Amino acid sequence: CAWGANGGTGKPIVINEVSGEATFKAENPFAALAAGGDTGGGCYDPLRNCVWWLPPRNGSAMTKYDIASNTWSEVGAGVASSSAALCYLPDDDCILVVGTLGANGFAVFDCATGTWHYPAITGVFVGGINLSVYTYGAVSPTWVPGLSAAAMWDNSSNTASINIMTKPANPRSGVWVVSQLPVSGLNVVAPSARTPNGTYGRFQYSPNLDGFLLLNAVDQDLYFYALSAA
């Protein structure tokens, strides 16, 4: 999920990892950006080599940016949501969308059919997270293959805890289960409380390190949570 005081640009930006040069690509023609600054949420789809982006206005449909052809298209029906955070589920070709969608504050978008689903959820979030009030996607889920779950952190309390939403066999219709990852009794470091404006994408899972990185504020060190001791 992105945020900019002036709404930002509707163009994807490709950054050359060697030179650092940024190149603007084709602008999304299907939804104007909100003047208040909320600029939608997106995720990468490796199956199609595309970027999915949900515009920040109620009634907007999901949009797809094809990287190879530098073109945009609309997919599926419009939904009642403002800005949201997106997380691609590789085993199911679906997207978990968090941000005041449906009764439970999240939805599952089927990439193949363009259909929206609103599954049930059980369990309790800790740390002050409540998906139904995260209008701007301030809590961004990150996918953890080994757990078959989406993890998230935007904690105002219980800052050492990481919430996870475990995916059911069918993420479209099954019940998602909320729980927390364990914290060792020997743990001596706990992140500071989230910044007032939210964490957004500054909490991510690293497959190479098998752990979580948290940049809670630009003037703080990185926090790290290891899933394994290896």
Side-chain angles (χ1 to χ4, degrees):
C1 183
W3 180 274
N6 295 316
T9 176
K11 300 177 180 179
I13 303 172
V14 176
I15 300 175
N16 186 301
E17 61 188 74
V18 177
S19 67
E21 292 290 328
T23 304
F24 287 101
K25 296 296 184 177
E27 187 161 8
N28 188 320
F30 297 107
L33 298 179
D38 41 320
T39 50
C43 67
Y44 176 66
D45 174 350
L47 181 64
R48 297 170 181 81
N49 189 33
C50 74
V51 173
W52 295 94
W53 185 72
L54 183 64
R57 294 184 183 275
N58 281 329
S60 294
M62 182 73 81
T63 62
K64 181 176 72 171
Y65 174 70
D66 184 88
I67 296 174
S69 64
N70 191 31
T71 58
W72 286 91
S73 59
E74 277 189 314
V75 181
V79 291
S81 172
S82 54
S83 291
L86 279 59
C87 176
Y88 184 73
L89 311 180
D91 294 334
D92 302 276
D93 195 25
C94 289
I95 299 172
L96 173 66
V97 183
V98 173
T100 65
L101 287 95
N104 297 314
F106 78 102
V108 173
F109 178 79
D110 190 311
C111 299
T113 65
T115 306
W116 289 92
H117 301 270
Y118 300 92
I121 189 171
T122 187
V124 178
F125 288 100
V126 303
I129 289 178
N130 182 349
L131 297 188
S132 63
V133 301
Y134 275 94
T135 306
Y136 302 111
V139 54
S140 297
T142 181
W143 184 247
V144 187
L147 299 177
S148 193
M152 55 191 69
W153 188 99
D154 190 54
N155 296 20
S156 58
S157 62
N158 299 89
T159 59
S161 294
I162 295 173
N163 290 283
I164 62 171
M165 290 176 58
T166 301
K167 179 180 69 67
N170 187 337
R172 304 162 187 82
S173 59
V175 179
W176 290 71
V177 179
V178 176
S179 61
Q180 290 75 43
L181 294 178
V183 181
S184 170
L186 301 177
N187 182 65
V188 296
V189 174
S192 56
R194 66 175 177 86
T195 57
N197 289 333
T199 305
Y200 293 92
R202 300 192 310 275
F203 171 76
Q204 291 289 327
Y205 171 70
S206 168
N208 290 340
L209 299 175
D210 193 27
F212 299 98
L213 301 166
L214 169 64
L215 178 61
N216 194 29
V218 296
D219 58 351
Q220 296 180 11
D221 292 333
L222 281 170
Y223 294 100
F224 182 76
Y225 175 102
L227 272 177
S228 64

